[in-house]
Amino acid sequence: MHSSFFLSFHGLGFWLAGLLLIVVLGCGGQGHQDSPAAAGSEPSMPVPTAEEHLAAVEAWHAGRIERLRSESGWLTLVGLFWLEEGENTFGSGEENDLVFPPTAPKTGGSLFLVGGKVQLEAAPGVEITFEGEPVSQMEMASDATGNHSRVEMGSFNFYIIDRGGRLGVRLKDKLAPALQTFEGIDRFPVDPRWRIEARWEAYDPPKMIGIPDVLGEVSQVECLGAAVFEVDGQAIRLEPTGELSELFLVFGDKTNGKATYGAGRFLVLGEPAGGKVIVDFNQAYNPPCVFTPYATCPLPPKQNKLAVAIPAGEKDWGHH
């Protein structure tokens, strides 16, 4: 597994709207009462009013729900199948190597894995399209390329994922039951206390940190710095990954397994400026593994597992 996983996993489309709002808020900041950044010699960022902060968080959340409800969102994910070398037949029939849900064609076709490349061949009479055009056979690029090949078959679409050189098929259905029954996500009340103006400590040079995932693999990903602050007198140091304009954090806290998902949550930080960075836990959100057992989610590294509770952001969803 490698760093391209994180680019494909998030994709700019998944949270760009939310990132824009966070960056806008990055022009303002409140900071926790115990934050060393708030008490430091450098001037603090301008502070948005409680009403402005609430409006921004609510707008971000509305965009988050809209993306989840889209036909390409995580609620549509209904299958994950790992490919074996050679031919892999697919369809709803039990005789297939990759058994799709009952509403898929009984015999959909085959995926041939040869030397790290995947060739699709549609079964006779089955309509599979790529970019709106019917295809009988084609080579499918994986998400490791940053631009995977997504094909459609009725209400289903599928594409190839690469996890550390292991290739699989991710299957989505725009008529998935989870999408049809989704009614939103419970959250903690928006609280300006959890919009923290932290000190940004840049790493020069950047360092590599290990990010584990639910498959038991560990990715070495570049970390450009750390957000440093205090909560209730306890020093906190969080290490995000990604570019400065899109810092992504996988973190855990003492609410996990109780009010929030047991394996942690995600958060996008504001872009650092003037030695400061905004960490707004009100925009902490659930990983895709909350919504489907077929996602391959990253987990918090040890340094991002907090010994304090963060009662902000999204609560747990569904049954696990």
Side-chain angles (χ1 to χ4, degrees):
M1 188 172 179
H2 42 71
S3 59
S4 64
F5 164 73
F6 293 93
L7 296 177
S8 62
F9 182 76
H10 303 290
L12 290 178
F14 182 72
W15 47 263
L16 185 55
L19 172 62
L20 180 59
L21 284 168
I22 297 173
V23 172
V24 169
L25 279 178
C27 296
Q30 176 162 318
H32 192 282
Q33 291 293 324
D34 297 323
S35 170
S41 59
E42 294 182 354
S44 296
M45 299 176 178
V47 180
T49 66
E51 292 76 13
E52 290 170 339
H53 178 239
L54 175 62
V57 174
E58 292 299 328
W60 169 84
H61 180 69
R64 156 84 165 150
I65 296 302
E66 182 180 358
R67 290 187 292 276
L68 280 172
R69 283 182 168 146
S70 73
E71 292 184 355
S72 60
W74 290 108
L75 292 167
T76 66
L77 185 55
V78 295
L80 175 62
F81 309 91
W82 298 109
L83 297 175
E84 300 291 341
E85 191 73 13
E87 183 178 12
N88 299 262
T89 60
F90 63 87
S92 60
E94 292 293 333
E95 70 278 6
N96 290 288
D97 299 310
L98 316 180
V99 180
F100 285 10
T103 53
K106 183 177 180 180
T107 302
S110 296
L111 292 164
F112 294 86
L113 174 59
V114 180
K117 295 185 177 181
V118 179
Q119 183 78 15
L120 165 70
E121 289 191 10
V126 175
E127 183 176 284
I128 295 179
T129 62
F130 175 63
E131 297 182 344
E133 297 295 327
V135 294
S136 58
Q137 57 181 332
M138 63 174 285
E139 183 176 323
M140 297 185 67
S142 75
D143 62 354
T145 67
N147 186 26
H148 58 255
S149 305
R150 184 191 298 265
V151 298
E152 297 186 356
M153 184 179 65
S155 66
F156 297 92
N157 69 81
F158 58 91
Y159 53 95
I160 307 301
I161 64 171
D162 184 327
R163 298 295 177 264
R166 187 184 185 192
L167 299 182
V169 177
R170 177 167 281 168
L171 179 68
K172 293 189 173 184
D173 182 4
K174 62 184 179 182
L175 299 179
L179 178 61
Q180 306 303 314
T181 59
F182 181 68
E183 296 182 351
I185 307 172
D186 288 338
R187 296 177 293 157
F188 293 97
V190 176
D191 186 347
R193 175 179 184 261
W194 294 108
R195 181 186 182 276
I196 296 171
E197 180 186 284
R199 185 173 72 252
W200 176 251
E201 292 189 1
Y203 294 154
D204 186 15
K207 73 174 186 178
M208 303 299 290
I209 62 174
I211 304 292
D213 68 24
V214 296
L215 300 179
E217 299 176 355
V218 177
S219 298
Q220 294 299 317
V221 186
E222 187 176 71
C223 176
L224 300 180
V228 182
F229 53 98
E230 291 185 2
V231 172
D232 297 330
Q234 180 164 327
I236 304 293
R237 184 182 191 88
L238 295 173
E239 293 187 322
T241 60
E243 301 299 324
L244 290 177
S245 60
E246 47 191 45
L247 292 171
F248 173 71
L249 181 69
V250 185
F251 77 97
D253 70 276
K254 288 299 184 181
T255 68
N256 296 164
K258 300 171 185 175
T260 63
Y261 183 49
R265 291 180 289 170
F266 295 169
L267 180 64
V268 178
L269 308 188
E271 184 170 1
K276 310 288 180 61
V277 64
I278 298 300
V279 182
D280 192 346
F281 287 111
N282 293 283
Q283 297 187 18
Y285 62 98
N286 286 313
C289 289
V290 167
F291 308 105
T292 173
Y294 305 114
T296 53
C297 299
L299 301 171
K302 182 172 68 173
Q303 65 270 32
N304 291 347
K305 293 181 180 180
L306 307 183
V308 297
I310 306 292
E314 289 184 356
K315 296 182 179 182
D316 202 358
W317 180 90
H319 303 283
H320 308 285

